Amino acid sequence: MNILFKRDTWQEIYYSLRNNKLRTFLTMIGVGWGMFLYVSLLGAANGLENKFNKLFSGFATNSIFLWPQNTNIPYEGFAKGRKMDLRLKDIDLLQKKVPQIDYISPQSARGNFGNPGEQISRNGQKNTYTITGDFPVGNKISKKKLLFGRYINDADIQSKKNVIVIGEEIYKNLFDAKKNENPIGKSVNLKGVFFKVIGVFRVGKMGGMENDQSAYIPFSTYSGMYNEGDKVGFFAIVGKPDSEAEVVENKVKDELKKINHVSPEDTNAFGSFNLAKEFKKITGFLTGMQLLTIIVGTLTILAGVIAISNILLITVKERTKEIGIRRALGAKPAEVRNQILLESVVITLSSGLLGFLFGIFLLIILNILSMNNDSFPIDNPTVDYGNVFSAMGIMVFLGLMIGMIPAQRAVKIRPIEALRTE
């Protein structure tokens, strides 16, 4: 280890690298580029995952959305093509029969699934929007980011109040948003009925599972307005954390088929969208991206380290006479070997650090671009420094291992033969 503290050692390394500037530079590019790819791609992959999590923050990602359709198989005397219904009374039965269910949010809406929306107006301004009848539990499925006021509560449901929570776009169209007008307590007209605004919510520019051109009213008020009784447009079902979403989905459909006398083989009676299943696919894709990034970066670093070995082999050949003189003057084989190994480590470590710094610089730029920009595809791109330093350690280890090849070649040079070399 004394070789590390000798001034002559570092002077020799410096002069060796200085005399071969272009060769050294081109060699360092390989390792530096590998580390740059590793840091920047891994950070970008983490930023993409952060953006995805931010997009669905406040949303129950283990959700299943289920709606009624028509049967396509005749059963128990009923012809095919029978229209199905979901009702509020189904909720208690499903929760008893399917213990994996955490909670169910019943909702009905106008303005989606192909049916027309409703016109909302105020002071001569009007437009058509999506109207949804909801329960307070609906805010657990998709947590609204409120700019003003509150969401629907139990008192609104029980008293069938004419209250409404509107999206930011509706607020901008009907109120003076430039002056930050407070809409709470003010009224809008929906189907000829005045509704008091109790809240305004915002949806990010990249959207998510909802949009800000929609409004929410108490489910009981919605049912009375459209004379639907206890009929429900669709169920948003959230499974317990340890439950399998597909199991919950299939059990719920089976129970609804029993209630409605539908053939167990009928696949069309109830439609569904399993968000938990799709979410799992996306998270798997993001994990795969991170793994691919690690593999690509590691292989690139390895290629660069191998290039360093090749360059050092050339260097050893060019310095044959010098090595012979050192051996003739009493230099031990270990000293010659350590000198070559140290050169390999210095080039490898310097290249890696430069690649790391450029990678971090790129991530800082991406982070600045992503700040307060909902449309930017990544958010807060970061890397785990533990992983980076582990990669750096592996890189130095590889540099040592690969450096053994030229080092051993240098050790095998006989002083007499080396001195005869022209």
Side-chain angles (χ1 to χ4, degrees):
M1 293 297 292
N2 291 336
I3 190 172
L4 294 174
F5 304 103
K6 290 182 179 179
R7 184 178 179 183
D8 291 346
T9 300
W10 297 104
Q11 283 181 334
E12 188 171 342
I13 291 174
Y14 169 73
Y15 288 122
S16 175
L17 298 180
R18 190 189 67 175
N19 293 334
N20 299 284
K21 296 187 185 71
L22 180 60
R23 182 192 299 169
T24 303
F25 173 74
L26 293 175
T27 304
M28 293 177 68
I29 285 178
V31 176
W33 179 249
M35 182 56 70
F36 172 78
L37 281 179
Y38 182 85
V39 172
S40 57
L41 291 180
L42 190 59
N46 288 336
L48 188 62
E49 184 175 4
N50 291 339
K51 188 66 176 185
F52 179 75
N53 291 332
K54 183 179 180 180
L55 186 62
F56 287 92
S57 63
F59 200 93
T61 53
N62 56 332
S63 305
I64 301 159
F65 296 88
L66 186 141
W67 57 89
Q69 298 182 153
N70 297 323
T71 60
N72 62 2
I73 298 176
Y75 188 69
E76 292 185 355
F78 293 100
K80 71 174 183 178
R82 185 161 48 103
K83 190 179 185 305
M84 294 290 97
D85 287 319
L86 294 176
R87 297 188 178 275
L88 290 176
K89 63 181 181 181
D90 296 335
I91 296 175
D92 289 336
L93 186 142
L94 289 174
Q95 288 180 321
K96 289 178 183 178
K97 295 288 185 179
V98 187
Q100 293 91 342
I101 293 176
D102 195 359
Y103 53 88
I104 300 176
S105 171
Q107 296 181 13
S108 293
R110 290 287 192 279
N112 57 15
F113 299 111
N115 58 25
E118 291 290 355
Q119 193 176 85
I120 301 178
S121 61
R122 180 177 183 267
N123 296 339
Q125 299 294 325
K126 58 185 178 181
N127 211 330
T128 301
Y129 303 102
T130 300
I131 305 297
T132 300
D134 200 8
F135 282 85
V137 70
N139 203 33
K140 292 174 67 177
I141 300 285
S142 176
K143 185 73 174 177
K144 308 295 184 297
K145 184 179 180 180
L146 293 169
L147 302 177
F148 297 95
R150 63 173 177 84
Y151 197 64
I152 296 163
N153 60 27
D154 291 330
D156 299 328
I157 299 290
Q158 292 168 6
S159 302
K160 299 182 180 180
K161 292 182 180 179
N162 291 341
V163 293
I164 189 169
V165 180
I166 60 175
E168 186 179 22
E169 190 65 28
I170 302 176
Y171 164 70
K172 289 178 179 178
N173 289 343
L174 302 182
F175 296 88
D176 193 347
K178 292 182 179 179
K179 293 184 178 179
N180 203 33
E181 181 182 0
N182 189 342
I184 303 304
K186 297 176 182 178
S187 297
V188 296
N189 191 301
L190 171 62
K191 281 181 67 67
V193 179
F194 286 100
F195 278 73
K196 184 170 70 174
V197 177
I198 60 171
V200 177
F201 67 92
R202 169 182 289 169
V203 176
K205 291 180 181 179
M206 291 188 72
M209 297 300 294
E210 56 191 18
N211 63 73
D212 54 11
Q213 296 189 38
S214 57
Y216 293 82
I217 63 176
F219 188 90
S220 54
T221 307
Y222 181 98
S223 298
M225 181 182 294
Y226 293 102
N227 195 28
E228 292 190 349
D230 68 341
K231 288 175 67 173
V232 178
F234 64 93
F235 286 153
I237 303 168
V238 178
K240 291 180 179 177
D242 58 345
S243 64
E244 284 290 334
E246 284 190 79
V247 173
V248 175
E249 181 183 9
N250 292 332
K251 283 189 175 182
V252 167
K253 285 186 176 180
D254 289 342
E255 292 301 326
L256 288 172
K257 287 175 184 178
K258 290 178 185 177
I259 297 170
N260 292 279
H261 304 283
V262 175
S263 169
E265 311 301 322
D266 197 322
T267 58
N268 194 66
F270 297 95
S272 61
F273 174 72
N274 194 325
L275 179 63
K277 184 178 178 181
E278 300 305 317
F279 191 84
K280 191 174 181 180
K281 287 180 182 178
I282 296 173
T283 52
F285 168 74
L286 293 173
T287 302
M289 277 189 61
Q290 292 177 341
L291 180 61
L292 180 62
T293 296
I294 292 172
I295 293 173
V296 170
T298 302
L299 291 177
T300 307
I301 290 171
L302 180 60
V305 171
I306 291 172
I308 290 174
S309 173
N310 291 333
I311 293 301
L312 288 176
L313 280 171
I314 297 172
T315 302
V316 167
K317 187 174 182 180
E318 290 177 347
R319 294 166 61 188
T320 300
K321 190 168 185 177
E322 173 196 330
I323 293 171
I325 294 172
R326 290 183 62 189
R327 292 291 307 277
L329 292 175
K332 297 179 180 179
E335 292 177 349
V336 176
R337 180 192 301 112
N338 292 340
Q339 180 71 32
I340 302 299
L341 287 176
L342 191 56
E343 285 187 30
S344 175
V345 170
V346 167
I347 295 174
T348 304
L349 190 57
S350 301
S351 307
L353 286 173
L354 284 173
F356 169 75
L357 292 174
F358 278 113
I360 293 296
F361 180 68
L362 177 61
L363 293 183
I364 290 172
I365 293 174
L366 290 176
N367 187 47
I368 293 171
L369 293 174
S370 68
M371 285 181 178
N372 301 317
N373 188 352
D374 289 338
S375 61
F376 203 72
I378 63 176
D379 181 70
N380 189 26
T382 56
V383 290
D384 185 338
Y385 288 110
N387 291 339
V388 173
F389 291 133
S390 296
M392 198 84 75
I394 293 171
M395 182 182 64
V396 172
F397 175 76
L398 289 173
L400 276 172
M401 293 299 99
I402 296 293
M404 284 297 294
I405 299 173
Q408 285 300 111
R409 183 166 181 174
V411 168
K412 290 179 180 179
I413 296 175
R414 292 184 177 184
I416 295 176
E417 293 178 358
L419 291 171
R420 290 175 181 170
T421 304
E422 293 296 331

